[in-house]
Amino acid sequence: MSLASRLLAAFEGSKAAYGETTVGRIGRKGKAEAKSFIRRGQMTEELVQQHIDGVQGVGAIPITQENTCRFGALDIDVYDLDHRALQEKLQKLKLPLVHFRTKSGGAHLFLFMQDWHPASLIREYLTEMSIALGFSGCEIFPKQDALLVERGDLGNFINMPYFTADQTTRYAFNKNAEALELEEFLDMVETSRVALSELDALDLSGSKEYFTDGPPCLRILVATGCVSEMRNNTMLQMGVYAKSKYPDNWEREVENMNRIFMEPPLDSKELLGIIKQLQKKDYFYTCNIEPFCSVCDKDLCRTKKFGVGGDSESKAQVGGLTVVLSEPRLYFMDVNGKRVELNVDQLHNQSLWQKSCLAQIDFMPSTMKAQDWTGMVNRMLSQATFQEVPRELTLTGQFEELLKSYCNGSAQAYDAAELETGKPWHDDGKVKFKIEGLVNFLKNRSHPWAENRAKIQEEIKRINSGEEFNGRQRFKSGEGKWGTVRVWWVPVFAEDDIELSIEEINNDIPF
């Protein structure tokens, strides 16, 4: 079995499509610029071999059209990542994740399953693992619980490792944080596969004794020992929790938490300052600063008696964006792990986006500031994945098929004089016609270019390979008089080239 076939088997996923990524220059912050496309069709051994050889990078889509997956991943987009420390943490938490370096120096942590399981279930486990690792909010693959298959949704891909395998920067690590060759990784991958029961046995929830009814971030922070960094921030957060749970003697509880969880404990002056802050006013949890945001699980926190509760928010957890290259364009956005289909107006207008979420996933996101919304959309577009569509779903493809039908249809001119009626005339390898005849044909079939003659001209020029495509045609009328008519032309289309069956519409040629 070849290395390519083994690598293909390791990342077995969707059979409907795969991804291609072309990497550009490395940005000032270490991020590798890339353009990503989703290609329809099944990924093959030949494509994977090109990936290994460094010809064209490919990516696998974990989620199938049946909404199952056999592998998933965490994408940790940190460019100065300490891979040795991350590997040590993986082993300490006993997480069954295979650790890879990405092209930008971050990490992909892959979960390989023995069998196929619902994507929604794998996403739940991966979310818990990301929180335990301190990378809450990192990208999770598969990015959605279910695809909108009936709307042409194909999912999102993640780049495969070992691009240009003989000198790759995308390699797996062993437990000593040493790089593995491709064959070494392939030997290891099958032993790394886990059963669902092994995931069920993982304990990622933190301390069983403390903060069980409070913010999960506090449970995670104390789960593996005492807090030695950002102690003041953490102590203030714990004080907010203590005031909610122990309103009568919360000061004593804060002192106990300082003694139990801080390493070393804050001195009496620092602790007294925090208590005085809490006495002066009611603070709320500071979810958006460290060390809490990296281990934040707002969905779980809302369910806790002394968590953020309903006050937070209906803030949407927005993932990636897929741009479907139809005309007009469509967009698939990941919102709270679910797919939302949008048109350009719904992506542009926050209010219409909220309505789309309400209608499609039964969730009403809270309103962002206008500049935050614009910034988010622009960031998503800059990192979007583009999904190809069949040519007939583009306006260009539809125009070309209608042009063929017009030129080869039953309403043909028998001589140059009939050009005046709007009928096309075949003459010495060309089909000549008055532009008004073609425009009327397009209008009767509701093609939007009927109102855009400049676009029609551009396309006819392309079909003629930039050569001359219009002029004057002489003709002799039935009375024997000579006249001229302005015509456009295209090369004759072979009958076999016509793919769309176009029903003739009566009275569509102007007389």
Side-chain angles (χ1 to χ4, degrees):
M1 197 178 206
S2 69
L3 293 179
S5 62
R6 292 175 68 190
L7 186 61
L8 178 63
F11 293 93
E12 184 181 9
S14 173
K15 291 179 170 57
Y18 61 94
E20 282 187 359
T21 297
T22 301
V23 180
R25 70 179 185 87
I26 304 297
R28 292 177 61 188
K29 295 183 179 180
K31 179 68 174 178
E33 294 181 356
K35 194 77 171 178
S36 299
F37 287 90
I38 293 176
R39 309 295 190 192
R40 291 180 179 271
Q42 187 171 353
M43 187 157 57
T44 63
E45 183 177 336
E46 290 74 22
L47 290 167
V48 176
Q49 186 61 57
Q50 291 181 21
H51 175 89
I52 292 172
D53 294 340
V55 176
Q56 173 62 63
V58 294
I61 299 174
I63 189 170
T64 67
Q65 300 284 284
E66 294 75 35
N67 298 319
T68 61
C69 61
R70 199 173 177 224
F71 80 90
L74 301 178
D75 181 3
I76 300 175
D77 214 7
V78 178
Y79 313 132
D80 56 351
L81 190 63
D82 186 336
H83 286 280
R84 183 172 295 277
L86 177 58
Q87 181 59 225
E88 290 173 356
K89 196 164 189 178
L90 288 170
Q91 294 181 50
K92 183 175 183 179
L93 294 172
K94 299 180 180 179
L95 298 182
L97 297 173
V98 181
H99 178 187
F100 290 83
R101 185 189 185 279
T102 69
K103 60 181 178 291
S104 298
H108 283 167
L109 304 178
F110 282 96
L111 174 67
F112 295 102
M113 303 298 297
Q114 292 178 0
D115 297 303
W116 296 89
H117 298 284
S120 57
L121 185 61
I122 299 304
R123 280 177 49 80
E124 287 182 18
Y125 283 112
L126 287 169
T127 298
E128 292 179 5
M129 293 181 195
S130 71
I131 294 168
L133 286 167
F135 293 103
S136 172
C138 72
E139 281 191 287
I140 294 175
F141 291 83
K143 284 193 174 184
Q144 52 285 130
D145 296 339
L147 298 176
L148 302 177
V149 176
E150 70 283 358
R151 300 178 189 175
D153 189 12
L154 297 171
N156 296 89
F157 72 90
I158 185 167
N159 288 317
M160 292 174 66
Y162 292 99
F163 179 68
T164 317
D166 58 351
Q167 51 183 350
T168 189
T169 57
R170 310 183 207 174
Y171 45 76
F173 292 99
N174 63 17
K175 291 187 176 181
N176 296 320
E178 298 167 335
L180 296 176
E181 297 292 336
L182 173 56
E183 190 166 7
E184 293 176 311
F185 156 67
L186 293 171
D187 291 339
M188 179 184 75
V189 68
E190 290 306 315
T191 61
S192 302
R193 293 192 180 277
V194 294
L196 197 62
S197 58
E198 294 176 74
L199 298 185
D200 288 333
L202 292 173
D203 179 16
L204 303 176
S205 59
S207 168
K208 297 295 183 182
E209 183 177 0
Y210 299 102
F211 309 112
T212 57
D213 52 2
C217 60
L218 294 179
R219 295 183 66 191
I220 296 298
L221 288 173
V222 303
T224 55
C226 294
V227 177
S228 58
E229 297 181 358
M230 300 186 183
R231 292 174 300 153
N232 289 70
N233 285 354
T234 306
M235 201 67 250
L236 183 63
Q237 190 95 321
M238 289 180 176
V240 174
Y241 166 79
K243 279 190 73 175
S244 299
K245 183 170 183 177
Y246 310 105
D248 297 330
N249 60 344
W250 63 268
E251 292 95 339
R252 180 176 298 177
E253 292 298 328
V254 169
E255 292 174 357
N256 289 337
M257 291 174 185
N258 179 48
R259 186 178 65 257
I260 295 170
F261 299 123
M262 300 297 116
E263 180 60 46
L266 297 177
D267 61 41
S268 57
K269 185 177 180 180
E270 288 179 297
L271 185 62
L272 183 59
I274 290 173
I275 290 175
K276 285 183 176 180
Q277 277 184 266
L278 292 166
Q279 287 173 335
K280 287 179 180 178
K281 71 174 187 176
D282 291 328
Y283 285 84
F284 196 69
Y285 295 117
T286 51
C287 307
N288 297 321
I289 66 171
E290 293 292 3
F292 316 113
C293 59
S294 294
V295 289
C296 179
D297 187 347
K298 283 191 170 116
D299 289 336
L300 180 59
C301 197
R302 291 187 192 105
T303 68
K304 300 301 181 181
K305 182 176 181 180
F306 303 107
V308 295
D311 196 74
S312 84
E313 317 164 281
S314 39
K315 184 177 179 183
Q317 302 298 311
V318 179
L321 187 71
T322 299
V323 181
V324 182
L325 298 176
S326 56
E327 292 178 326
R329 289 189 174 190
L330 292 176
Y331 305 85
F332 290 117
M333 182 187 287
D334 300 307
V335 182
N336 295 350
K338 298 178 181 179
R339 289 292 241 187
V340 176
E341 181 184 5
L342 306 168
N343 59 34
V344 68
D345 291 328
Q346 292 162 337
L347 184 64
H348 172 262
N349 186 298
Q350 183 177 181
S351 178
L352 294 179
W353 170 72
Q354 291 170 311
K355 288 181 180 180
S356 299
C357 292
L358 186 61
Q360 296 181 40
I361 63 173
D362 300 316
F363 176 75
M364 175 65 178
S366 57
T367 302
M368 307 178 196
K369 294 179 180 178
Q371 63 184 27
D372 292 341
W373 170 257
T374 302
M376 183 192 78
V377 171
N378 282 332
R379 281 194 301 274
M380 296 181 77
L381 287 170
S382 69
Q383 301 167 7
T385 297
F386 295 86
Q387 179 176 312
E388 291 185 324
V389 297
R391 184 173 174 81
E392 60 266 23
L393 295 183
T394 67
L395 292 179
T396 301
Q398 292 165 14
F399 170 81
E400 188 171 318
E401 294 302 326
L402 287 172
L403 177 62
K404 290 178 185 179
S405 181
Y406 171 67
C407 292
N408 292 0
S410 59
Q412 299 290 310
Y414 291 100
D415 56 43
E418 286 194 87
L419 283 167
E420 285 282 17
T421 68
K423 295 179 181 179
W425 179 50
H426 287 241
D427 177 39
D428 193 24
K430 296 178 181 178
V431 185
K432 298 178 179 179
F433 50 86
K434 287 182 67 176
I435 191 64
E436 290 81 3
L438 175 60
V439 166
N440 196 60
F441 188 88
L442 296 174
K443 190 176 295 184
N444 281 325
R445 286 151 182 82
S446 302
H447 194 286
W449 287 5
E451 306 297 333
N452 189 346
R453 295 198 181 194
K455 191 66 179 176
I456 294 174
Q457 174 177 316
E458 178 185 322
E459 185 62 17
I460 291 177
K461 181 178 180 180
R462 182 192 66 80
I463 292 172
N464 282 278
S465 302
E467 300 294 328
E468 188 177 11
F469 57 89
N470 61 60
R472 306 293 299 184
Q473 174 68 46
R474 293 190 74 210
F475 67 90
K476 191 174 185 179
S477 68
E479 293 79 21
K481 296 180 179 180
W482 286 94
T484 63
V485 61
R486 182 169 179 77
V487 297
W488 296 40
W489 58 77
V490 293
V492 169
F493 293 108
E495 291 286 349
D496 291 341
D497 286 344
I498 301 177
E499 298 177 1
L500 295 183
S501 177
I502 306 295
E503 181 182 351
E504 288 293 331
I505 300 175
N506 291 330
N507 302 320
D508 60 345
I509 303 296
F511 287 91

